[in-house]
Structure formats: C-alpha cells, structure tokens
Amino acid sequence: GACCSYRLRDALHPLWQSPLTIPGGTRQSPINIQWRDSVYDPFLKPLKISYDPTTCLHIWNNGYSFLVEFDDSADRSIIVGGPLENQYRLKQFHFHWGAVNDWGSEHTVDCKFYPAELHLVHWNAVEYPSFEEAVMEGNGLAVIGVFLKLGARHEGLQTLVDALPAVRHKDTVIEFDVFDPSCLLPSCPDYWTYAGSLTTPPLTESVTWIIKKRPIEVDEDQLEAFRTLLFSSHGEEERRMVDNFRPLQPLMDRTVRSSFR
Ligand SMILES: CC[C@H](C)CCC(=O)Nc1ccc(S(N)(=O)=O)cc1
Ligand SMILES: [Zn+2]
C-alpha cells in the first residue's frame, strides 16, 4: 500500500482483541487519503451543520475514548447536504490520539499523521428507527473527521479539557449540559468523503466519512490532558489512554472524492 504494508492488518490488535479487518470487509476505516488520487466531485453540495448546544447531555469514558453524548430523540442537532442523501442526527463526538505528537490520528493525509482526530458521529434517523439499527446499515451513519494539529490553545476545547479529570477512569461519567460542537470545526468548508466503517468494534461498514481538509489547532497542554485519561477502571492497574487509533486499512475498490479543486 501507499505508506505501509497491510500484512499486519490481519493480525490481532492489542486494543481490540479481534481481527482488524472483518472477514470479507471491503470498506474498512481508517485509510490514508492520497491527496493527488482524490477526485473533485462538482456535484458534492456544501455540508450544512446545525447543532443545538442544549442537546448536550454528558461526557463519559467508555474505555476506548472520551465521548460527549447528545440527546438525539429529535432533529435538533443535525447535518445535511454534502455527500448525504438524508439528514443525520448528532449522537456523540469523541477523539483519537497518540502517546506523542508524531501520531494519533486515524486517517492520514499523504501518509502524514496528525497528533489527534475528532469524530462527530451522526445517524440516519430518516430511514432507521434507532442508532443501534443505523449502525448496521450501509448508509446508516455519517462521521465528520477533523484533524487536530499542535498550535494555539483552543478555547472551545478547553471547556472539555477542564472536565476530563472527572472522567479519568473507564465507565465514569459527568453531566455536561451546554456545549456547541461547531466550535470544534475549522472555518474552511473543504472536505474529502468516502464509504467506510466504524474504526472500533463492531467495525460495521455503515459510515459515510466526511474528512475536513483543514485541521483545528490545539496546544500541547490540551493534548497532554487527553493523555491523562485511562483505559482502566477504578481499582484496576492504571493503563494510560493513548494510541487509541486503529491501523490503516486497505483502500480496495474505493475512490476518495473531494469537495474542492
Ligand atoms: C451495537 C453497536 C453500538 C451501538 C455502536 C456504538 C458506537 O457508537 N460505536 C462507534 C461509533 C463511532 C466509531 S468511529 N471511531 O467514529 O468510527 C466507532 C464505534
Ligand atoms: Zn472515532
């Protein structure tokens, strides 16, 4: 492959104790986005994002990452347009990061890792009755990926960072009642899009990925705060939550489209 061999892909990965690519998987994520191989699609619409900050519910550590979850019982925080046929409801967002700044993102661009990656997870409530059902359908989910790069302190992220000590251990949760995730999006509208999968079990091939071209900037202290979280529960031997990203998966018979020339 472009920047790594996939032989290892079929090996067991310590984090998930399950085959990295599901048998017969043809659209697994994450992937390397080779900029020059992406195809500009003039028919791609602008992505329209409207989040209601009061739909925010809580932050919790699920043992893979920390998640900020939203009330998705109505169409109050939604995305529409872009590559999507329907509107999708925001369910949660979370991050993936490295032990050091040299890696941490799940997707790469021209084989370059970013130190972290944000995923905003949405589901197709037009066609499916629940998130759990949408997870099993080819057009069930839409995940916006935003790269984080080392730079200026991000004031919007800081409110999340300040809450992290309260969710240090797996299965801890705190109430978090107002947060506007649009503050975590870059102002540039450009994105790549491709058909992929969840990057943690159940690894279902149900995700339309929308990867923003431009990263947001966060500072070293904010990345370090992510690294103070634990995979382990209270009372267990402490295991630092770092390197919670899945290895790159083969592109196979897929084209990455760009919304920009
Ligand atoms: C029974 C299935 C369960 C309900 C699914 C729970 C869930 O939300 N999983 C999930 C979500 C997003 C990603 S990612 N990293 O954005 O690809 C990975 C896994
Ligand atoms: Zn993710």
Side-chain angles (χ1 to χ4, degrees):
C3 42
C4 55
S5 77
Y6 299 114
R7 263 192 328 282
L8 300 182
R9 302 291 141 255
D10 303 332
L12 283 181
H13 190 278
L15 194 55
W16 297 300
Q17 305 308 323
S18 67
L20 272 181
T21 48
I22 48 178
T26 59
R27 52 175 280 195
Q28 288 291 294
S29 294
I31 59 168
N32 173 56
I33 296 169
Q34 202 64 33
W35 195 312
R36 78 168 82 81
D37 295 344
S38 61
V39 178
Y40 169 60
D41 179 349
F43 299 104
L44 280 173
K45 302 187 194 71
L47 190 61
K48 283 167 60 188
I49 296 169
S50 46
Y51 295 147
D52 171 350
T54 64
T55 53
C56 191
L57 293 173
H58 48 252
I59 300 185
W60 68 293
N61 177 331
N62 71 347
Y64 287 114
S65 180
F66 69 93
L67 282 77
V68 181
E69 290 203 302
F70 289 79
D71 169 8
D72 60 351
S73 57
D75 288 334
R76 292 168 59 196
S77 288
I78 56 149
I79 58 171
V80 67
L84 305 172
E85 301 291 312
N86 300 111
Q87 78 175 19
Y88 287 66
R89 271 185 208 165
L90 177 66
K91 169 82 178 164
Q92 51 105 328
F93 69 81
H94 63 273
F95 297 81
H96 303 261
W97 59 91
V100 293
N101 298 336
D102 306 313
W103 59 76
S105 59
E106 295 218 290
H107 293 85
T108 55
V109 179
D110 295 344
C111 297
K112 169 197 154 93
F113 282 96
Y114 284 88
E117 183 173 332
L118 159 64
H119 289 157
L120 295 137
V121 183
H122 310 76
W123 61 283
N124 181 345
V126 172
E127 295 190 9
Y128 307 112
S130 71
F131 175 76
E132 286 70 19
E133 301 211 21
V135 164
M136 311 310 287
E137 302 290 339
N139 67 340
L141 303 182
V143 181
I144 298 176
V146 180
F147 295 118
L148 275 62
K149 73 176 260 202
L150 191 58
R153 177 183 154 106
H154 193 294
E155 290 312 325
L157 184 73
Q158 194 55 36
T159 51
L160 290 181
V161 166
D162 292 338
L164 293 185
V167 290
R168 185 157 184 262
H169 291 89
K170 180 173 184 259
D171 295 331
T172 49
V173 59
I174 55 154
E175 193 186 317
F176 202 67
D177 39 18
V178 181
F179 185 79
D180 179 1
S182 17
C183 80
L184 299 174
L185 297 170
S187 52
C188 177
D190 296 348
Y191 62 85
W192 289 284
T193 183
Y194 78 96
S197 74
L198 298 181
T199 65
T200 65
L203 302 171
T204 45
E205 298 184 331
S206 54
V207 182
T208 298
W209 280 96
I210 299 167
I211 307 289
K212 301 294 281 184
K213 182 182 82 174
R214 289 276 172 249
I216 58 169
E217 289 191 22
V218 300
D219 73 10
E220 177 64 35
D221 291 343
Q222 294 178 313
L223 286 171
E224 276 305 318
F226 286 14
R227 300 176 183 131
T228 64
L229 294 172
L230 301 175
F231 286 125
S232 42
S233 307
H234 264 297
E236 282 179 357
E237 180 210 354
E238 296 202 343
R239 284 172 290 118
R240 287 184 339 123
M241 184 180 274
V242 292
D243 298 334
N244 56 352
F245 58 94
R246 188 190 192 193
L248 292 170
Q249 302 297 309
L251 184 61
M252 302 184 99
D253 182 26
R254 290 180 284 183
T255 300
V256 177
R257 290 181 289 160
S258 66
S259 71
F260 58 94
R261 278 192 181 287

